[in-house]
Amino acid sequence: MKVAAIQMVSTPDVHENMATAKRLLQAAAQQGAQLLLLPEYWPLMGMNETDKLAIAEQPGHGQLQSFLSDMAQTLGVTIIGGSIPLISDVEGKVLNTTLVYQADGKTSGRYDKMHLFGFRKGDESYEESRTISAGDQVVVVETAAGRVGLAICYDLRFPELFRAMGQCNLIVVPSAFTYTTGEAHWEILLRARAIENHCYILASAQGGKHVNGRRTWGHSMLIDPWGKVIDEVAEGEGVVCGDIDLQFIENVRTSLPALQHRKLTSSLG
């Protein structure tokens, strides 16, 4: 099964971003991809961190969710919708949510980002918890590619989340890594998660200089269970594409059965 990750450089204009996402999703489908992944914050990289509150939607309603549903139906593919803001129970905060849409346009999974990014270095500072409420559920969905685990960006630094997903064929990581942290850690962490979980990792990123002055690292990529980067887009808009080889997953798990050798499981405390 062929999968694709979309890389964007999103702006403060929602409609502009929707048009870009549509064009890139169409391009990915034309390459034969059947599962398409958008990046984190694809609908909006606002001028202020509170801008996302104005476009937050109720689950099941809104232009962003309709767009994702319509694109899945029109292209006849599974779309994992990066992240969009959904209304939370906390005033002044949203949920940073990944929604999965099957080819019939219906949702088959929802994941609310659990780990909220915080970073300070010199003049660079981020604190997602000021405007985002954290989720608390590990989510895996069934697709034509088998079990797919859902994670978002900063989740990548918490290997216990990936372990909690159980055995997956693919784990997706829509992201908006900063240039600073991405340059240092992005590929290392992605390849580690693929190797230690014996699965493919598909990571879609924001990648470039944004209107709001922020610079994101990009380097969207597909990585196989042996840790090899199959395809990558460094910076700017683009599409990463490649095949999920179920036999290769089985070969890796058979030849190096590390998951069966684990000792420090949750049952041992």
Side-chain angles (χ1 to χ4, degrees), residues 97-116:
T97 300
T98 294
L99 294 169
V100 181
Y101 290 85
Q102 299 298 341
D104 60 4
K106 297 180 180 178
T107 55
S108 61
R110 167 183 166 176
Y111 170 68
D112 300 325
K113 185 177 183 180
M114 294 177 67
H115 300 97
L116 303 182

Side-chain angles (χ1 to χ4, degrees), residues 55-185:
I55 67 165
E57 300 178 350
Q58 290 285 359
H61 304 280
Q63 66 173 342
L64 301 178
Q65 293 167 87
S66 293
F67 168 80
L68 294 170
S69 175
D70 291 345
M71 289 301 299
Q73 281 186 285
T74 300
L75 299 175
V77 299
T78 297
I79 291 181
I80 302 180
S83 77
I84 65 170
L86 293 184
I87 293 172
S88 78
D89 294 331
V90 181
E91 185 177 355
K93 293 187 179 184
V94 300
L95 294 162
N96 193 15
T97 300
T98 294
L99 294 169
V100 181
Y101 290 85
Q102 299 298 341
D104 60 4
K106 297 180 180 178
T107 55
S108 61
R110 167 183 166 176
Y111 170 68
D112 300 325
K113 185 177 183 180
M114 294 177 67
H115 300 97
L116 303 182
F117 182 53
F119 177 74
R120 293 180 181 84
K121 185 177 182 180
D123 295 333
E124 196 174 6
S125 176
Y126 305 95
E127 198 66 56
E128 286 188 322
S129 62
R130 286 195 289 258
T131 55
I132 297 175
S133 293
D136 59 7
Q137 298 293 320
V138 178
V139 179
V140 175
V141 295
E142 291 291 341
T143 73
R147 285 168 53 85
V148 176
L150 306 182
I152 300 176
C153 201
Y154 191 50
D155 287 332
L156 185 59
R157 295 183 182 273
F158 301 88
E160 62 273 20
L161 170 62
F162 291 70
R163 280 285 196 250
M165 294 174 184
Q167 190 164 284
C168 294
N169 290 340
L170 172 69
I171 298 175
V172 298
V173 190
S175 300
F177 254 58
T178 69
Y179 190 92
T180 302
T181 59
E183 183 179 34
H185 303 143

Side-chain angles (χ1 to χ4, degrees), residues 19 29 52 113 131 137 146 151 155-156 171 178 182 190 206 212 225 229 235 250 261 264 269:
K52 64 178 77 73
K113 185 177 183 180
T131 55
Q137 298 293 320
D155 287 332
L156 185 59
I171 298 175
T178 69
L190 287 171
Q206 296 282 347
N212 63 11
V229 177
E235 193 169 21
E250 183 60 30
H261 297 159
L264 296 177

Side-chain angles (χ1 to χ4, degrees), residues 7-8 39 73 93 110 134 155 179 211 231 248 253 262:
Q7 182 159 297
M8 295 176 59
Q73 281 186 285
K93 293 187 179 184
R110 167 183 166 176
D155 287 332
Y179 190 92
V211 175
D231 194 18
F248 183 70
R253 292 173 179 171
R262 293 175 62 208

